Amino acid sequence: MPCVGTRVTLFTLDSRAQTRNIMKLRQRTINCSPFRPLESEKGLPSSIKLPDTLEIFRNLKNAKRFAIDIGGSLTKIAYYSLVSHRKVNYEAEKDNAPNEENFTYALSEGARLHFVKFETKYIADCLDFIRSNLVNSKESMSGKSIKATGGGSHKYASLIAEKLGLSVDKEDEMECLIKGCNFLLRNISDEAFVYHRHGNPEYEFQTATPNIFPYLLVNVGSGVSIMKVESEDSYERIGGTATGGGTFWGLGSLITKAKGFDELLQLAERGDHRNADMLVKDIYGGDYKKLGLPADLIASSFGKVCPKRETGGAQYTDADLARSLLFTISNDIGHIASLYAMMHKLNKIYFGGYFLRNHPLSMHTVSFSINYWSRGTVQCQFLRHEGYLGAIGAFLKGAEECDSDKYSWLENYAGSSGLQKSADSGAAPFGQLELDRWESPLRFCPLLKDPANYIPDTVDLNADQEARDYWLACFEESVNKYIERAVASQPYSTTREERAKQLKEKYVSRLHHLKEHPFAFGNLTVRSLLDTIEHCLREFDFPDPFLVQKQLENECAIALLKEWLKELDALSEKERRKELVVSVLAGNMFDWGAKEVATMLESQTFGFEQARENIPDRPWLVDCLDEWLERLEGEPHKKAAIFIDNSGVDVVLGILPFTRWLCSRGTKVILCANSAPALNDVTYSELLVVLKQAAAIDPILAKALHNNDLVAMQQGQVGPCLDLSRLPRDLAEELKTVDLLVIEGMGRAVHTNLNSEFTCESLKLAVIKNRWLAQKLGGQMFAVICKYEKGNT
């Protein structure tokens, strides 16, 4: 039943008209298939080469520049490549004849940064592999150079010159580390984390902040250097200690039988330091309350060893000694770092270096020490990609391709190997990080009330195991739907089946990996899972599996728009305001990303009327409709931004009438659409076409478009969710003068931003089309979110 008392005539295309449109679009699909070998496709191949996504040095043949960071144990190689992707070009200005497509496919080049990590003992083999796979001949590379850093850059300079024919430009190690750290903190939102050894979640990832400075960078290598970083170009070494990883390795080899650094760490994991260390309770019989010293605090490292030896009662093992040594070194490092932080009034410390490498016990001990000595005032954070800092920094030296004033970078979940504990016996011998360039600097939304503490995700799946288990299983069950769509979208490809098979294997393996290592790619969320499938689709050359479906639904909805606007205009103003909200909610039902709704849509009997009937009676799960309607009695808004969701009925019959009404009140409206395809979400390019078609039907929309009172802009997203910390700079500038923010859809207003607060008025509208999620939030299937907030500064 409708949720308000308004009587409205609802309509859908009759079955014969619907069938005609479907057949027309199917024929159009055949005519414009990107895999049909036509000259109009500008030389695009009829069969695409299968991508080798498991290759460590991916896209190596397209590499343009290299950098290398050579440590005593690990080597990191960085290179920049151009990656070709197939994309859809929409021709919004083209007046198409009947049965002509208004889109074409073309190849588009994008920039990608690759970082590969491996053991230094394999360096000669890796250099041979790089040399043999480069398109450039040795002669054409002659005279060129490679940026290098790390202690091994001196030792292996001649080997690099011999293998690659490149001269070696050595870069300062500390400068490279800081440059790499700044780059990661600026571009990867889940880069830094706080470690809780016995916590839930074990890894607490920190959200990105608009300003990353100032901070301390503590690099724990053979020794320890402490750097104070105040800006991109302002930093200084303020201290350090000679007691570092080399000390641990050196003393460990003397007092135990361990033969290597990793073996020593593994030994420490099995030991009990209490057999070697003297605790407070060993001296005082319990807590020393007067001084605030707990009973289990270490009073003297190795304090029990000599007395036990003298009495012949030694009961410690090599593992106990290794653990005691690890605690000694880690506590000392943490103590010194916390003192420097407090001395310089800094509350953020980032740790990196070979000594840590995501080793649980080392991180736990350093964290405990920092927290203890600073009394909780200093936050100890680690970096997900700390092993790549030097290589990133070396590469950035003189790299115009990475200019932060022009570009931002996004982690490619399909090509990065993810974070793993160094103690894992099954850890891969190689590690990868891949970043794709965004052709615009990305900025925080200026309307966020508290940008520094903005969390774009409603549920942290790292912390909520029930939700994690559900969503991982849900996405694995749904993967066949993605595969079916991907295959069907390319009927003339000879490689589609094999590519789809590889795509499925890749994505399912990712899901299984995340089940065991939910922290691998930072905060595990519904957003990141959806982004991962979109990354995989593009990697296997399925750029827009829902393209034909979206075009069909847009055309069907446009055919209904004129009559629907006429129905709305016949209502009283009070009834119209209610109906506009209900129409947005009904339109939001048309979501192919929701499993149960997709089943209904496939039946081809689900229309606008059925969508309205599925909206529950009020009160809704979140029901601020009355507050919203009361607000509309006041002055019109000056400028509104609407983050829109799906193609077809959603945008045409839901959002456009709502937008038209706002424009009629004198409100300027920005419609913010996805920059790249994701499920059946409307993209910016598609929106331009839809707006042109709607303007031809309605004079109010035509006037608003002509006067720039209605504009479309890209929201910078590549998935169905919305991260307001990563918006294109031009959109962020426009939002500064917005006094109404509307966020629509389950992905944007429920999975993300349900709890986000803004400085201006905001309206969040969505229908929950997942039964489990609805019940989790306290409602039922098709529960409604209508959340209006006045905003505050």
Side-chain angles (χ1 to χ4, degrees):
M1 293 294 293
C3 59
V4 292
T6 308
R7 178 67 176 174
V8 181
T9 303
L10 300 169
F11 40 82
T12 58
L13 291 176
D14 65 75
S15 58
R16 287 171 296 176
Q18 200 168 45
T19 301
R20 286 196 299 270
N21 275 279
I22 292 172
M23 294 304 296
K24 183 176 72 173
L25 261 293
R26 284 177 178 166
Q27 183 60 42
R28 183 176 301 175
T29 305
I30 294 172
N31 291 339
C32 69
S33 169
F35 298 92
R36 188 165 177 254
L38 298 176
E39 292 183 5
S40 62
E41 292 170 19
K42 302 177 182 178
L44 296 184
S46 60
S47 178
I48 301 173
K49 180 182 177 182
L50 298 178
D52 185 359
T53 59
L54 300 179
E55 184 180 302
I56 295 300
F57 290 96
R58 298 205 308 160
N59 303 308
L60 184 60
K61 291 185 178 181
N62 298 317
K64 302 299 180 184
R65 299 200 310 108
F66 286 90
I68 191 166
D69 174 15
I70 309 175
S73 298
L74 294 176
T75 292
K76 286 77 64 177
I77 288 180
Y79 63 97
Y80 163 85
S81 72
L82 294 178
V83 182
S84 295
H85 287 297
R86 193 177 297 258
K87 65 179 292 186
V88 180
N89 287 333
Y90 296 91
E91 301 174 6
E93 302 302 322
K94 181 177 178 180
D95 294 322
N96 296 310
N99 295 327
E100 280 191 17
E101 66 274 11
N102 66 340
F103 63 87
T104 58
Y105 282 84
L107 287 179
S108 174
E109 279 194 336
R112 178 172 291 172
L113 289 179
H114 306 258
F115 303 97
V116 181
K117 179 171 59 178
F118 55 89
E119 292 182 56
T120 300
K121 64 184 179 182
Y122 298 122
I123 188 171
D125 292 335
C126 286
L127 292 176
D128 281 336
F129 181 83
I130 292 172
R131 180 67 189 88
S132 64
N133 281 275
L134 286 175
V135 172
N136 300 316
S137 66
K138 187 171 183 178
E139 290 73 22
S140 66
M141 295 174 67
S142 178
K144 295 184 178 180
S145 64
I146 180 172
K147 299 288 185 180
T149 189
S153 61
H154 300 274
K155 180 179 179 180
Y156 293 100
S158 59
L159 179 66
I160 295 172
E162 175 190 342
K163 298 287 188 183
L164 299 183
L166 301 171
S167 62
V168 177
D169 288 343
K170 301 180 182 68
E171 299 292 342
D172 180 77
E173 185 174 7
M174 285 302 160
E175 185 177 352
C176 289
L177 288 172
I178 291 168
K179 206 170 187 68
C181 186
N182 292 341
F183 179 85
L184 289 176
L185 292 174
R186 200 169 52 241
N187 286 283
I188 301 183
S189 58
D190 296 340
E191 178 60 32
F193 62 90
V194 176
Y195 183 71
H196 308 284
R197 184 165 168 83
H198 304 294
N200 183 23
E202 188 177 4
Y203 292 75
E204 181 187 346
F205 291 92
Q206 306 300 291
T207 56
T209 62
N211 187 9
I212 63 176
F213 306 108
Y215 66 84
L216 282 190
L217 176 61
V218 180
N219 188 59
V220 189
S222 298
V224 179
S225 287
I226 300 177
M227 312 295 293
K228 179 183 177 181
V229 185
E230 296 184 285
S231 70
E232 291 289 347
D233 302 313
S234 176
Y235 65 89
E236 62 175 321
R237 186 183 189 275
I238 58 175
T241 173
T243 307
T247 313
F248 174 66
W249 194 355
L251 288 178
S253 65
L254 292 174
I255 63 176
T256 73
K257 297 178 182 178
K259 296 179 180 179
F261 191 88
D262 287 323
E263 185 179 342
L264 194 58
L265 285 175
Q266 292 168 9
L267 197 63
E269 282 284 353
R270 303 194 298 270
D272 186 344
H273 76 104
R274 293 171 297 183
N275 293 328
D277 293 340
M278 186 174 292
L279 310 182
V280 169
K281 66 182 178 183
D282 295 323
I283 302 174
Y284 299 105
D287 298 337
Y288 193 160
K289 295 181 180 179
K290 189 173 182 179
L291 296 182
L293 302 176
D296 290 327
L297 188 69
I298 297 174
S300 174
S301 296
F302 296 98
K304 291 180 181 177
V305 173
C306 287
K308 286 185 175 182
R309 278 186 172 179
E310 291 174 358
T311 60
Q315 296 179 351
Y316 48 81
T317 65
D318 274 10
D320 299 335
L321 295 177
R323 194 177 186 93
S324 177
L325 180 60
L326 180 67
F327 281 8
T328 301
I329 304 299
S330 300
N331 278 320
D332 183 55
I333 294 170
H335 190 185
I336 293 172
S338 65
L339 290 175
Y340 275 110
M342 290 186 289
M343 183 189 307
H344 290 267
K345 296 180 173 56
L346 299 175
N347 58 13
K348 285 188 299 187
I349 304 180
Y350 298 111
F351 280 85
Y354 186 78
F355 177 70
L356 294 169
R357 288 180 303 135
N358 196 34
H359 182 259
L361 193 55
S362 302
M363 293 191 298
H364 168 70
T365 311
V366 170
S367 298
F368 176 85
S369 179
I370 294 285
N371 184 69
Y372 179 83
W373 291 109
S374 72
R375 291 180 168 83
T377 61
V378 177
Q379 192 174 54
C380 173
Q381 299 184 45
F382 305 94
L383 300 173
R384 192 153 59 93
H385 301 104
E386 60 84 17
Y388 299 106
L389 297 186
I392 293 173
F395 182 86
L396 293 176
K397 300 286 284 187
E400 295 181 359
E401 303 94 336
C402 303
D403 189 341
S404 61
D405 291 331
K406 297 179 181 177
Y407 312 110
S408 288
W409 296 83
L410 306 172
E411 184 172 7
N412 184 334
Y413 294 136
S416 297
S417 55
L419 182 68
Q420 291 189 33
K421 296 179 182 178
S422 62
D424 287 353
S425 58
F430 290 84
Q432 291 171 272
L433 168 63
E434 291 188 357
L435 300 172
D436 289 328
R437 191 172 74 184
W438 190 262
E439 300 301 315
S440 163
L442 298 176
R443 300 288 185 260
F444 274 75
C445 173
L447 303 175
L448 287 167
K449 178 183 175 182
D450 185 9
N453 293 304
Y454 169 67
I455 300 175
D457 303 289
T458 304
V459 178
D460 179 1
L461 301 185
N462 286 353
D464 190 333
Q465 183 170 348
E466 178 193 357
R468 179 169 73 242
D469 292 343
Y470 170 78
W471 285 112
L472 288 173
C474 180
F475 278 101
E476 186 168 356
E477 291 171 5
S478 302
V479 71
N480 286 332
K481 289 290 184 182
Y482 287 96
I483 299 304
E484 290 171 9
R485 282 280 173 183
V487 171
S489 70
Q490 300 179 354
Y492 286 93
S493 168
T494 60
T495 63
R496 58 177 183 158
E497 296 284 354
E498 183 60 27
R499 284 184 290 117
K501 177 184 176 183
Q502 291 186 4
L503 188 161
K504 180 178 179 180
E505 290 173 354
K506 179 78 170 182
Y507 187 59
V508 171
S509 71
R510 274 285 186 262
L511 296 177
H512 290 174
H513 180 71
L514 288 168
K515 188 173 183 179
E516 298 298 322
H517 306 278
F519 48 79
F521 297 96
N523 282 316
L524 181 61
T525 63
V526 174
R527 173 173 59 95
S528 66
L529 291 173
L530 286 166
D531 286 350
T532 301
I533 187 64
E534 296 300 332
H535 292 181
C536 289
L537 284 165
R538 276 187 287 278
E539 287 301 310
F540 289 92
D541 206 6
F542 294 105
D544 195 352
F546 283 85
L547 174 61
V548 174
Q549 185 69 44
K550 288 187 292 181
Q551 189 179 31
L552 169 62
E553 294 184 4
N554 284 340
E555 291 198 1
C556 290
I558 285 290
L560 301 173
L561 180 61
K562 184 175 182 179
E563 289 300 318
W564 179 227
L565 294 177
K566 184 177 179 181
E567 290 279 345
L568 290 170
D569 289 344
L571 301 174
S572 67
E573 182 62 21
K574 183 177 180 180
E575 291 174 334
R576 186 185 304 115
R577 291 174 179 177
K578 292 180 181 178
E579 182 54 39
L580 287 168
V581 172
V582 174
S583 297
V584 171
L585 294 169
N588 193 238
M589 291 271 197
F590 292 78
D591 184 353
W592 286 90
K595 183 178 178 181
E596 293 187 53
V597 172
T599 301
M600 292 190 292
L601 293 174
E602 285 173 347
S603 70
Q604 298 183 2
T605 61
F606 187 78
F608 197 34
E609 183 174 1
Q610 288 75 22
R612 278 189 50 95
E613 290 174 351
N614 276 293
I615 295 178
D617 294 330
R618 296 180 64 196
W620 295 324
L621 180 60
V622 178
D623 194 339
C624 299
L625 180 61
D626 292 337
E627 290 91 331
W628 167 247
L629 295 176
E630 181 181 352
R631 164 61 185 87
L632 296 183
E633 297 296 331
E635 290 293 319
H637 298 90
K638 295 179 181 179
K639 187 175 180 181
I642 306 177
F643 286 84
I644 61 178
D645 195 2
N646 306 307
S647 295
V649 173
D650 192 352
V651 65
V652 176
L653 302 184
I655 292 296
L656 285 188
F658 182 79
T659 298
R660 172 182 181 261
W661 179 79
L662 286 174
C663 290
S664 70
R665 283 165 55 91
T667 302
K668 181 176 179 177
V669 179
I670 305 170
L671 293 181
C672 309
N674 257 32
S675 299
L679 296 171
N680 66 312
D681 293 0
V682 61
T683 64
Y684 167 74
S685 298
E686 291 169 307
L687 181 60
L688 295 178
V689 176
V690 169
L691 288 176
K692 180 183 177 183
Q693 293 171 334
I697 293 172
D698 180 69
I700 296 177
L701 289 173
K703 180 181 179 182
L705 279 170
H706 181 267
N707 295 335
N708 286 325
D709 291 327
L710 171 58
V711 295
M713 297 191 75
Q714 299 187 58
Q715 59 179 260
Q717 311 296 301
V718 295
C721 295
L722 176 61
D723 182 354
L724 290 171
S725 71
R726 302 186 70 84
L727 299 180
R729 180 168 56 187
D730 57 346
L731 176 57
E733 285 296 317
E734 282 290 334
L735 291 177
K736 289 180 179 178
T737 53
V738 160
D739 57 354
L740 172 64
L741 180 65
V742 181
I743 303 177
E744 181 226 3
M746 194 165 74
R748 293 163 182 80
V750 180
H751 290 312
T752 54
N753 299 299
L754 180 60
N755 302 316
S756 301
E757 295 182 323
F758 303 98
T759 57
C760 71
E761 294 177 55
S762 63
L763 180 64
K764 300 166 188 174
L765 298 171
V767 175
I768 301 177
K769 292 146 291 193
N770 177 281
R771 194 175 304 277
W772 180 90
L773 178 60
Q775 293 173 351
K776 180 84 169 178
L777 295 175
Q780 299 298 321
M781 184 66 172
F782 301 125
V784 166
I785 301 292
C786 178
K787 188 174 185 179
Y788 168 70
E789 294 176 301
K790 294 182 179 179
N792 57 77
T793 57

